[in-house]
Amino acid sequence: MDVQLDQPGQESNGDLRSQIRRALKAIHDGRSSNSLRQEASEYLEQVKSGDEAPYHGYSLAADKSESDVVRHYGLSCLDTAVRHRWADYSAEQNLALRNWELSLAQDVADQDPYFIRTKIALIWVEIAKRSWALDWMNMDEQLVHLWEGSLASKEFVLTILEVLSEDVFGHEDATAGLRGTDLNRACVEIVTPMHVLVEHFPTRDTSMNVRYGDQGWLSRMGDLLAYCVTTDGNPEARQACAVKILSTLRSLTSWVIPKSISSANLVTRLSQYEDFKELVGPMYSHDTVQLFQQLYEWSRVDATDIDEEKYLLSKKLSEMIYNLGRLLEERPGLVYVESSLDSFFGLLINIAKNNSLQVSITALHVWVKILGSQKLMASASVAPRVPELLEICSQRVIKYEALPEDSSNPSVIFLNEDLDTMPERHAFLGNYARFCKTIVERIVLQQPADALYHILGQAEQAISQLYDGEPAFSVQSYSKTSVPFLRLDGHCCVIEAALKGSVGWLTGQAGTDVGHEQVTMLQNLKVWCERILALNFEDPLVKERVVQLAVGFATGPLKKDARFAFRVFEYILDTKFFDDPNFPAYSDAVKDLQNLCIHELQRLAMKFPDYLITIFDEVEFRVNQVSRSIAQDDHTLTRYSSILFIITHRATSVDPQPRQERLQNFVQPLIAQWQSDELTNSLATFDSFCELLGCGGIQQYVSQKALHKLPDWSAQPLDDEGKGLQAQMQHALERLPLRATKTFLNVSVEKLEQKSTPHQMACELWGKALPLILPNLLRLISQAHAFHEPANWKGLPLELSGTVQRILTDRFWQVGISKGSRDDFYAKVGDTKHTVEGLASTIRATIRAVRETGYKLLFYMSLLGEHFYSHKWLPQPLSEALFADAYALSTHQMAILVETIRPVIENCPVASRSHFLPPILAPLFEQLDRKASAEWDKLEQRGKGSEERASLDDEMRDESILRTLTYTSVMLVVSLLDPERPNPPEPQTVNGAPHNGLPNVEHGNVRAFILATPEILKPVILFCTHAILMRDTRSCSFITRVLGSLVPEFETTGQIDTEVREYLSTEVLKACITSLHDPYFVDLQKDLAQLIANILITYTPRTDTPKQILLSLPSMPADKVDRAVENLYKAHQNMRKQRAIVLDLLESLRGVSVSEQGKIARTDPKKVRSAIQERYMTVDMQEEGMKKEPSPDLSGVADMFGQP
């Protein structure tokens, strides 16, 4: 397609129109090349920026013979002139713009597209924010004259009033904010009936003569609403107008004088109960519900042949029924007779049965509300629906995400149609399952006996028919997502929800005279569980769910029956499945079951220690017997021993001295291992550390086998030498005391309150051991970090450093980004076990186990309080171990380090801050700043194409991980500098001696300590400054608030205050301006503007630096800066106006969103979702799975500040 465009200004008006048409056609024509589109866009932007642009824009917009695209472009020319050049125009030019806008408004007709009418209304509002009540005094009169026209004109006026209300009172609009109270007063003046104004403000200033007539807009809207509701003819237009009135009223009622609402008869027209009942009540009548039922049946579609229009109607109808159900829950009196309620509940059941979960979820949500309403639960129409409702929930809690995408299950087919991304699917299915479980829980809470009988009966029947219609169980074809397992898992979820409801009922009945009913119910639960425990299951995952369920019974409604708990305890001990490594999926399931069994035994030991201690000899014999027969490694033996440790530690009826001696017997061998000379010598150098972990031959193997020349490691089988290296590493890791110490430390402090007897025993047990464990523990962590530094791999040539990075790059599954399911990922990892990639995975796993187990041990030690923190020698070696080589860690590994070390920092007692925190926090934030800044720079360069592009999946993964690191680091800053954060509890003793405090202790919160400690404060603020520029909106939002709270802290004239104040006035201010310029941060401009305003208001009286930074910006005159600062002083208590002043000052620099650029966004109508649908897919994940926006060209931003 060949289009030649002249330069603007070289053509006549007719030629200009022709050029504009051709340019727009080039942009919207799918056959146009990218270069042609770019040329056309540049041409149109030049026209828009020309002096004659407003006139050309008006001419195009007013000519209805032009296409809608051309007219919209003309309106965008007018909009640009009003938004960006209004202040530069003369009074005559502004008047001409206003008259053109009035002419366009008077010509609005029903035939005009909605987006054209809306654009004209938006331009009206932009003009009003700049000149109404200044030199445009008759706007209200002109609106009234427009109101006297057609329904389209009335809707046009309503749009103006709604948008004006939102911009003046709701949104953070800079232009409206600059006008301050003038626009507020003018809005109140024209909306409120005159007599209400006179009554409420008898002495008000009447010099602002902006209103026309005495009626006011609330009264006019009330009259129009009455007309729309009561008048016959043209129902669609009247309905649309009524909806628009309600939308406008919703905005206005947030700020209008309350009496004006009743004065305008809006209360009687909208909210009066009887009238409302007469209006809405018939919607619940039997005949109306039958019509809804017929419409619903007609709109149902088959998953294999989806009629899009019918399916869309089905969704909309289900949403309407949801709104009726929500209203019914709020006002049960709307239904006249019980039979109507029965019909409505029947419709809800039918919708809940729909194979489309997106249609069904609204009905389930309504049932959640109904079951939470005492009035509706008292209805006789609810009880008959309970069995069907329980049946639906039992069938729908299946893990749909575990079913294959090509499944013939109708619900899966609908899910594939409705949801594009995995994050949406996970969030939606999570909400769906939550509604199902809540329904079950609330039914049991209200009708425990009948509901439990039904639920347990159905589950028992399902268990007895687990493999009906399915192949018999086979180890050879084992699958973790088999249909029998998914069926059982669904029933177990329902039973667990029912148990939760039964516990709620038992708690609520405490003290009431229902003893027989309680005893009967508990006995029935016990008998049912005993029957299930007597069954035999071949599938280890099925057995795992049965074990979890049995523990749920024992720790839930049957928690007072310790004998039953011991019956479950024995059942778990007797659970034995023999591993078969020839079938990896089955083998993994067996291992998962063994791990789960030990975990559940630990739970029971924590819940029932006083009973188990009475039969300790029997328990000890059985545990030791099972561990010897099952455990294949020392770690499993240790975990079994921890069960006996828990019973001894947590039981209250044991004499202190024998107890302490017995506990010492558990941990003393571990302490001896940590003190061994062999371990100390092995940690002395990097090479000896590698030998310790069985990695000593890795460098030679990598070099000899030329692994760097192999493109696909997962396709290269591992030779015997490589398999030997794998075995060495696995065996070496087992010999370290890391995991055993983690197990015993964990159970020593888990879920214990400070100063409780078990916690004090843990402190006594471990307090003296920590100085013996920590030196070698820190050396282990240090060497594990050093392993990630290629320079330490001295046995490899420098050119193979990339191979080191490849070996140490973690593989992990990420929701919404990784291809396939989590199970697919782990299956793929298992398939590569005996390949070169499997060897690399073993290396990573070994180092990761050392590194992360070390972190966990530090966390558990921190829970011992001053027994850990009071050691004066500890902070410096701890800091060196954690941070000396931290930069070599990957982004993902660094995020884990921050997340696990954060509680160690937060748990620091007040008395230990002065010696513990500075050596830890200063290097931590230095490393975080270095790592995060470098990774964001690398991502930026990749986006600009200056680096070799990785695959899209890799880019998305890397960006997502980097966002995680950034957000984790920022939340650490927030936790440290939160002014409301309380101090951790103070211990009464330290190492057995009374705690009398330490010198130079800051007794304020940790924020005050950091602000008074320059060696911490400086790296923290440096990191915060750079975080403002990191393209993560969540993180930037938090950081601007944190820095905003710090600004007032440095008003005084001390040396630290002066230094920090100057830094905030230069570097932080520059960072804010740079981000303000970046379109990526357009949604954070108010946060950035507020921080800039805080700096200017607080610091300009004490330093000229902020002004000098502003004056260094291009085209920034001194008088404009002075005027802005002066206005900021005047708006000292009005934060909204402060933001508006800053945004106005930096208007020429701030980034512009797509909507502000006047571009029409195109969306796939099939993917447009309602607010209700969006709410069911809410997920706390930023831009995961979305197409990455290209980085903006910020060239020249650094030049603003005179930098080279």
Side-chain angles (χ1 to χ4, degrees):
M1 182 178 178
D2 186 20
V3 177
Q4 296 296 324
L5 299 173
D6 298 325
Q7 290 300 310
Q10 297 177 356
E11 63 282 285
S12 65
N13 186 45
D15 291 340
L16 179 67
R17 283 196 177 202
S18 176
Q19 293 268 63
I20 290 173
R21 292 191 202 101
R22 291 160 63 194
L24 288 168
K25 183 178 180 181
I27 290 174
H28 292 279
D29 194 324
R31 296 170 297 172
S32 299
S33 64
N34 288 335
S35 60
L36 180 58
R37 285 198 182 93
Q38 184 175 0
E39 180 186 351
S41 297
E42 291 174 355
Y43 174 81
L44 293 174
E45 288 301 318
Q46 290 176 10
V47 171
K48 195 184 293 185
S49 61
D51 293 337
E52 299 295 322
Y55 170 73
H56 295 313
Y58 167 69
S59 300
L60 292 170
D63 188 350
K64 295 197 174 185
S65 66
E66 293 285 3
S67 69
D68 295 333
V69 172
V70 173
R71 292 184 66 199
H72 187 272
Y73 172 74
L75 290 172
S76 70
C77 290
L78 279 175
D79 183 60
T80 299
V82 172
R83 287 177 181 268
H84 302 295
R85 278 178 269 164
W86 183 269
D88 300 329
Y89 290 146
S90 65
E92 291 75 14
Q93 289 173 316
N94 285 335
L95 179 60
L97 275 172
R98 205 165 69 216
N99 287 335
W100 288 337
E101 168 63 19
L102 179 60
S103 174
L104 292 171
Q106 291 170 338
D107 205 27
V108 165
D110 292 335
Q111 296 77 22
D112 290 326
Y114 177 75
F115 68 89
I116 294 289
R117 284 180 280 162
T118 301
K119 188 69 174 179
I120 296 173
L122 293 176
I123 296 172
W124 182 297
V125 173
E126 289 301 322
I127 295 174
K129 290 186 296 189
R130 290 163 172 82
S131 65
W132 181 39
L134 288 175
D135 55 6
W136 187 11
M137 307 303 293
N138 65 337
M139 187 189 83
D140 194 39
E141 179 181 358
Q142 292 168 340
L143 288 176
V144 172
H145 290 325
L146 289 173
W147 184 261
E148 293 168 352
S150 65
L151 279 180
S153 295
K154 289 180 170 61
E155 288 187 43
F156 176 78
V157 173
L158 289 168
T159 300
I160 290 174
L161 293 172
E162 181 180 6
V163 175
L164 186 61
S165 168
E166 290 297 321
D167 283 357
V168 173
F169 294 96
H171 298 155
E172 285 284 338
D173 185 87
T175 306
L178 286 171
R179 295 286 307 279
T181 59
D182 290 345
L183 287 178
N184 299 29
R185 290 170 55 201
C187 288
V188 173
E189 184 80 21
I190 68 170
V191 166
T192 312
M194 176 62 79
H195 69 277
V196 176
L197 275 176
V198 173
E199 179 182 344
H200 275 72
F201 306 107
T203 60
R204 81 187 198 284
D205 181 8
T206 57
S207 61
M208 184 187 288
N209 188 19
V210 295
R211 71 176 295 133
Y212 180 75
D214 295 340
Q215 193 175 14
W217 284 106
L218 279 178
S219 296
R220 294 187 188 101
M221 284 187 277
D223 293 342
L224 181 60
L225 182 62
Y227 168 80
C228 291
V229 172
T230 59
T231 305
D232 295 329
N234 199 5
E236 292 183 1
R238 288 188 292 102
Q239 181 183 15
C241 189
V243 170
K244 187 63 182 175
I245 294 168
L246 294 174
S247 177
T248 307
L249 286 173
R250 180 177 61 182
S251 176
L252 266 58
T253 51
S254 64
W255 53 265
V256 296
I257 301 170
K259 183 155 186 190
S260 63
I261 298 175
S262 58
S263 175
N265 286 329
L266 292 174
V267 175
T268 56
R269 286 169 174 152
L270 289 174
S271 306
Q272 188 176 28
Y273 186 82
E274 289 303 321
D275 290 347
F276 189 71
K277 183 174 181 177
E278 291 176 8
L279 178 67
V280 181
M283 299 288 284
Y284 302 92
S285 69
H286 178 76
D287 293 341
T288 304
V289 173
Q290 285 302 309
L291 287 174
F292 289 151
Q293 180 67 54
Q294 293 171 15
L295 180 60
Y296 167 70
E297 292 296 338
W298 179 84
S299 69
R300 292 180 63 183
V301 295
D302 190 287
T304 59
D305 183 21
I306 299 176
D307 183 318
E308 291 180 6
E309 292 187 359
K310 280 189 174 184
Y311 187 39
L312 180 61
L313 176 61
S314 191
K315 293 178 185 177
K316 294 296 183 184
L317 181 62
S318 72
E319 291 178 21
M320 186 193 74
I321 299 301
Y322 163 78
N323 285 319
L324 286 175
R326 185 182 62 177
L327 191 62
L328 179 65
E329 183 256 338
E330 295 172 356
R331 297 183 175 181
L334 290 172
V335 178
Y336 296 100
V337 293
E338 184 71 29
S339 60
S340 300
L341 198 61
D342 186 64
S343 301
F344 185 72
F345 287 168
L347 175 60
L348 283 176
I349 287 290
N350 288 338
I351 295 176
K353 291 178 179 178
N354 196 293
N355 284 326
S356 167
L357 302 187
Q358 201 167 71
V359 173
S360 169
I361 194 171
T362 56
L364 292 180
H365 196 174
V366 173
W367 276 112
V368 169
K369 292 179 176 294
I370 290 171
L371 295 171
S373 167
Q374 291 184 350
K375 289 185 178 180
L376 291 177
M377 280 301 295
S379 167
S381 300
V382 172
R385 304 294 177 185
V386 165
E388 284 183 286
L389 198 53
L390 289 174
E391 182 72 22
I392 294 169
C393 292
S394 298
Q395 294 174 352
R396 295 293 175 84
V397 291
I398 189 173
K399 291 181 178 177
Y400 290 98
E401 58 267 42
L403 297 176
E405 287 196 14
D406 59 353
S407 169
S408 60
N409 185 301
S411 295
V412 174
I413 297 174
F414 280 117
L415 280 172
N416 294 335
E417 172 74 14
D418 294 328
L419 303 175
D420 291 330
T421 68
M422 289 302 293
E424 287 181 339
R425 178 173 297 201
H426 280 286
F428 175 81
L429 292 175
N431 285 324
Y432 196 95
R434 180 168 56 85
F435 288 150
C436 289
K437 294 173 186 177
T438 304
I439 288 170
V440 173
E441 179 185 345
R442 290 186 175 180
I443 289 175
V444 174
L445 189 62
Q446 299 289 336
Q447 305 172 16
D450 294 340
L452 284 171
Y453 177 81
H454 180 91
I455 291 168
L456 297 179
Q458 285 212 326
E460 190 167 8
Q461 182 180 3
I463 291 172
S464 66
Q465 302 170 355
L466 205 55
Y467 288 92
D468 285 5
E470 297 294 329
F473 177 80
S474 169
V475 174
Q476 291 80 0
S477 59
Y478 185 77
S479 170
K480 292 184 177 182
T481 57
S482 66
V483 171
F485 169 70
L486 294 177
R487 286 175 183 166
L488 178 80
D489 180 70
H491 282 286
C492 288
C493 289
V494 172
I495 294 173
E496 286 164 348
L499 293 179
K500 190 175 179 181
S502 68
V503 170
W505 181 79
L506 289 168
T507 303
Q509 300 301 318
T512 60
D513 189 19
V514 287
H516 176 71
E517 189 175 353
Q518 288 185 14
V519 170
T520 302
M521 185 186 80
L522 294 177
Q523 184 61 30
N524 290 337
L525 289 174
K526 182 177 178 179
V527 169
W528 186 90
C529 191
E530 290 277 7
R531 286 205 302 270
I532 298 303
L533 295 183
L535 298 177
N536 182 44
F537 301 101
E538 297 178 287
D539 187 335
L541 280 184
V542 170
K543 188 77 166 183
E544 184 177 314
R545 284 305 271 128
V546 171
V547 167
Q548 288 176 313
L549 196 60
V551 175
F553 274 84
T555 59
L558 299 175
K559 62 184 177 182
K560 294 183 178 179
D561 191 341
R563 290 181 178 274
F564 176 76
F566 182 60
R567 166 72 181 92
V568 175
F569 191 92
E570 287 187 303
Y571 175 81
I572 299 174
L573 286 174
D574 291 334
T575 297
K576 296 179 182 178
F577 278 74
F578 294 101
D579 192 2
D580 192 340
N582 295 317
F583 303 101
Y586 178 79
S587 177
D588 289 345
V590 171
K591 292 173 183 174
D592 290 343
L593 172 62
Q594 291 174 348
N595 287 329
L596 184 278
C597 285
I598 297 174
H599 174 72
E600 297 296 355
L601 287 170
Q602 290 174 334
R603 278 186 64 196
L604 291 171
M606 288 183 182
K607 289 286 186 179
F608 302 96
D610 286 326
Y611 176 78
L612 295 174
I613 199 68
T614 62
I615 51 173
F616 186 79
D617 291 342
E618 180 183 353
V619 171
E620 184 178 30
F621 174 78
R622 292 282 288 116
V623 168
N624 289 333
Q625 182 185 46
V626 170
S627 66
R628 285 192 296 269
S629 64
I630 291 180
Q632 298 178 354
D633 52 62
D634 291 340
H635 179 58
T636 304
L637 284 170
T638 300
R639 294 185 68 198
Y640 273 108
S641 297
S642 72
I643 299 167
L644 304 176
F645 179 94
I646 292 169
I647 297 170
T648 306
H649 180 221
R650 304 288 175 109
T652 59
S653 56
V654 182
D655 292 336
Q657 188 61 35
R659 185 214 307 267
Q660 200 67 17
E661 292 176 359
R662 185 178 290 178
L663 294 177
Q664 284 286 356
N665 291 336
F666 284 105
V667 301
Q668 199 57 48
L670 293 175
I671 298 172
Q673 280 185 273
W674 282 106
Q675 288 183 281
S676 72
D677 293 338
E678 180 185 358
L679 179 61
T680 303
N681 294 334
S682 297
L683 296 174
T685 66
F686 179 75
D687 290 338
S688 60
F689 168 75
C690 292
E691 292 293 338
L692 174 68
L693 292 185
C695 301
I698 291 296
Q699 298 184 50
Q700 182 179 357
Y701 185 85
V702 169
S703 181
Q704 287 181 349
K705 304 298 181 181
L707 298 188
H708 61 288
K709 295 182 180 180
L710 299 177
D712 185 1
W713 285 359
S714 60
Q716 181 67 34
L718 199 59
D719 58 17
D720 291 340
E721 184 182 355
K723 292 178 182 178
L725 287 172
Q726 274 186 323
Q728 284 179 27
M729 286 183 278
Q730 292 166 350
H731 178 66
L733 187 61
E734 290 293 335
R735 291 190 292 109
L736 291 176
L738 272 170
R739 292 203 288 181
T741 308
K742 174 189 168 185
T743 298
F744 282 110
L745 250 179
N746 179 23
V747 298
S748 296
V749 296
E750 184 182 5
K751 298 179 181 179
L752 290 180
E753 294 183 4
Q754 295 281 335
K755 302 179 184 178
S756 64
T757 300
H759 185 267
Q760 291 175 350
M761 283 191 295
C763 291
E764 184 178 348
L765 177 66
W766 292 101
K768 296 179 181 179
L770 295 189
L772 307 177
I773 296 173
L774 277 166
N776 278 339
L777 172 61
L778 298 184
R779 293 187 186 102
L780 268 172
I781 296 173
S782 178
Q783 296 288 14
H785 284 189
F787 199 87
H788 290 268
E789 175 54 68
N792 290 325
W793 291 51
K794 297 177 181 178
L796 289 179
L798 187 61
E799 60 267 20
L800 294 186
S801 60
T803 306
V804 177
Q805 296 290 355
R806 187 175 173 184
I807 290 174
L808 296 176
T809 299
D810 286 325
R811 290 186 296 176
F812 50 89
W813 184 83
Q814 214 172 356
V815 61
I817 293 180
S818 301
K819 292 180 180 178
S821 67
R822 187 192 301 268
D823 289 335
D824 292 338
F825 169 77
Y826 284 116
K828 183 178 179 180
V829 171
D831 291 341
T832 62
K833 181 177 180 180
H834 299 299
T835 66
V836 172
E837 180 58 46
L839 174 62
S841 181
T842 301
I843 298 171
R844 289 192 295 269
T846 302
I847 299 301
R848 182 171 58 246
V850 173
R851 189 178 64 244
E852 296 182 8
T853 304
Y855 299 162
K856 276 292 185 183
L857 283 173
L858 293 174
F859 164 65
Y860 295 142
M861 291 176 180
S862 75
L863 296 178
L864 300 173
E866 286 287 2
H867 296 271
F868 172 72
Y869 290 99
S870 62
H871 299 291
K872 294 281 186 75
W873 59 269
L874 174 61
Q876 194 58 44
L878 174 61
S879 174
E880 292 174 0
L882 291 174
F883 309 125
D885 290 306
Y887 182 74
L889 298 176
S890 70
T891 309
H892 175 63
Q893 294 157 357
M894 181 74 93
I896 293 173
L897 169 61
V898 176
E899 191 65 38
T900 51
I901 211 66
R902 174 178 165 179
V904 176
I905 295 168
E906 293 176 341
N907 290 339
C908 180
V910 173
S912 297
R913 281 178 186 161
S914 58
H915 80 271
F916 187 85
L917 290 184
I920 301 297
L921 289 178
L924 168 60
F925 279 100
E926 289 169 0
Q927 292 291 344
L928 287 178
D929 184 44
R930 180 186 177 192
K931 185 71 176 181
S933 297
E935 293 297 327
W936 279 110
D937 288 343
K938 189 186 300 182
L939 200 65
E940 185 83 5
Q941 295 304 316
R942 185 189 294 176
K944 291 179 179 178
S946 57
E947 280 194 5
E948 183 179 348
R949 296 297 295 266
S951 69
L952 180 60
D953 288 343
D954 289 342
E955 285 192 41
M956 292 169 59
R957 182 201 63 211
D958 292 346
E959 184 167 347
S960 174
I961 296 168
L962 183 52
R963 290 186 188 283
T964 300
L965 171 61
T966 305
Y967 183 70
T968 302
S969 305
V970 166
M971 293 315 295
L972 173 60
V973 175
V974 172
S975 71
L976 293 174
L977 297 181
D978 180 5
E980 304 301 323
R981 182 178 179 82
N983 288 323
E986 286 299 314
Q988 298 301 312
T989 62
V990 181
N991 295 329
H995 172 58
N996 297 318
L998 296 172
N1000 302 319
V1001 171
E1002 172 60 68
H1003 287 285
N1005 60 17
V1006 70
R1007 171 190 168 99
F1009 175 78
I1010 291 175
L1011 296 185
T1013 310
E1015 62 183 295
I1016 301 176
L1017 181 62
K1018 290 179 181 179
V1020 170
I1021 292 185
L1022 182 64
F1023 169 78
C1024 292
T1025 305
H1026 294 157
I1028 294 175
L1029 302 169
M1030 296 173 188
R1031 294 163 63 83
D1032 182 76
T1033 51
R1034 285 191 308 173
S1035 300
C1036 184
S1037 177
F1038 279 113
I1039 283 297
T1040 54
R1041 295 173 201 174
V1042 167
L1043 288 172
S1045 74
L1046 295 183
V1047 168
E1049 301 282 354
F1050 302 100
E1051 287 186 272
T1052 58
T1053 57
Q1055 182 178 352
I1056 295 177
D1057 289 1
T1058 301
E1059 186 177 349
V1060 174
R1061 182 167 60 243
E1062 288 299 310
Y1063 184 85
L1064 294 174
S1065 299
T1066 51
E1067 301 307 319
V1068 172
L1069 186 55
K1070 287 180 184 180
C1072 288
I1073 295 171
T1074 302
S1075 289
L1076 197 70
H1077 178 76
D1078 187 343
Y1080 177 85
F1081 293 104
V1082 67
D1083 292 332
L1084 288 179
Q1085 287 184 355
K1086 66 177 184 179
D1087 298 320
L1088 294 164
Q1090 188 62 62
L1091 178 53
I1092 294 171
N1094 289 347
I1095 292 172
L1096 292 173
I1097 292 171
T1098 309
Y1099 293 160
T1100 48
R1102 294 164 178 80
T1103 175
D1104 203 41
T1105 303
K1107 280 188 179 182
Q1108 294 304 317
I1109 295 296
L1110 293 174
L1111 290 173
S1112 70
L1113 297 171
S1115 303
M1116 185 63 68
D1119 61 333
K1120 187 176 182 181
V1121 174
D1122 291 337
R1123 187 166 57 251
V1125 173
E1126 182 180 351
N1127 289 334
L1128 283 171
Y1129 292 154
K1130 293 177 181 178
H1132 191 62
Q1133 300 300 322
N1134 189 335
M1135 296 176 69
R1136 184 181 176 188
K1137 190 167 185 178
Q1138 292 171 12
R1139 294 191 288 269
I1141 293 168
V1142 171
L1143 291 175
D1144 180 66
L1145 175 67
L1146 302 174
E1147 174 66 24
S1148 62
L1149 297 174
R1150 71 184 183 92
V1152 180
S1153 66
V1154 172
S1155 61
E1156 283 189 84
Q1157 293 170 1
K1159 298 178 182 177
I1160 306 173
R1162 299 188 174 192
T1163 55
D1164 181 354
K1166 288 174 60 179
K1167 301 303 179 184
V1168 174
R1169 300 194 181 105
S1170 67
I1172 293 176
Q1173 291 172 340
E1174 289 290 354
R1175 182 170 55 179
Y1176 293 135
M1177 283 171 275
T1178 301
V1179 58
D1180 185 21
M1181 188 175 299
Q1182 180 170 341
E1183 300 182 1
E1184 295 249 354
M1186 296 177 64
K1187 184 177 179 181
K1188 178 186 171 185
E1189 291 293 330
S1191 300
D1193 181 9
L1194 298 182
S1195 58
V1197 177
D1199 298 336
M1200 295 177 187
F1201 309 111
Q1203 294 177 353

